[in-house]
Amino acid sequence: MRRGVIRAGLAALLFGASTPFAAQLARETNPFILAGLLYLGAALAVIPTTIRDRPDPAALRRGAPRLATAVVVGGAAGPVLLALGLQHASAANASLLLNLELVFTVVLAAVFFREHIGARVALGAGLVGLASVLLSGPGATADLRLGAVLIALACVCWAIDNSVTAELDELAPAHITLAKGLVAGGANTLIGLSVAPLPPLPSVGAALVIGALG
């Protein structure tokens, strides 16, 4: 129990720390290239795990439709929307707005997947949603509102991703991350390179490291 809490806390710390660096890169890098590099970094981080525990081909075939949805929506569209949003929102605001992923995941689970949502979960999700509205509502600049909308759309993509991959019991999270990273990350990087040059190597390395930590 204690070990799990420590791991969860460490993961949250790394995720929170990565957002300011990603926000800085977003202002210097094409959004498709940044999105692609972040997910390629995530893929690189899980390669050792997937080598040790290779996915069952039959399980891959059975989960192909859901995995494809996760790759396109969560791996390709979501990161690009986030990269665009980070160009308009501060790192602090973006970090708070990213909690909307929880809200949208709860809504999708309750409305479309008919999962029972307890009162505490509903209250927590509602408070997060209210905080996000207050953050980007009256008084916010037009630029921040645009950033908030883009980040919220990214969170919708990841909520869909969470919902479809929750049913992929036969595939480990590392397998799903590898698929999203290599396919969606590679595609976004190529799209970005078709319209913009590769950023400096330090920026490339930083994006890969942030993706691996995130």
Side-chain angles (χ1 to χ4, degrees):
M1 178 67 177
R2 183 180 299 175
R3 183 178 298 178
V5 172
I6 293 174
R7 288 178 177 176
L10 181 59
L13 177 63
L14 291 173
F15 179 79
S18 68
T19 303
F21 294 105
Q24 180 62 37
L25 289 173
R27 291 170 173 78
E28 307 169 349
T29 309
N30 176 276
F32 281 92
I33 294 177
L34 176 58
L37 290 175
L38 289 174
Y39 267 60
L40 284 173
L44 292 173
V46 300
I47 284 178
T49 302
T50 54
I51 290 176
R52 291 194 305 267
D53 182 19
R54 296 183 181 182
D56 177 35
L60 282 174
R61 288 193 296 270
R62 286 191 293 270
R66 289 181 177 273
L67 187 57
T69 300
V71 167
V72 173
V73 179
V80 173
L81 289 167
L82 173 62
L84 289 169
L86 288 174
Q87 294 179 349
H88 301 278
S90 69
N93 288 336
S95 296
L96 294 172
L97 289 167
L98 284 170
N99 289 307
L100 283 172
E101 180 182 345
L102 164 67
V103 178
F104 293 130
T105 300
V106 170
V107 171
L108 287 176
V111 175
F112 294 100
F113 295 91
R114 304 300 180 185
E115 291 188 17
H116 173 71
I117 303 299
R120 291 184 178 181
V121 173
L123 176 61
L127 290 175
V128 171
L130 177 61
S132 299
V133 170
L134 293 175
L135 183 67
S136 56
T141 64
D143 203 37
L144 174 57
R145 289 177 185 172
L146 175 58
V149 169
L150 291 167
I151 292 172
L153 289 174
C155 290
V156 171
C157 290
W158 288 321
I160 296 172
D161 183 341
N162 294 337
S163 298
V164 298
T165 55
E167 300 297 324
L168 293 176
D169 298 331
E170 297 178 286
L171 296 178
H175 301 151
I176 299 171
T177 299
L178 183 65
K180 290 192 293 186
L182 292 182
V183 179
N188 276 339
T189 302
L190 291 176
I191 291 172
L193 289 175
S194 69
V195 296
L198 186 71
L201 289 181
S203 296
V204 173
L208 291 173
V209 170
I210 292 171
L213 294 177

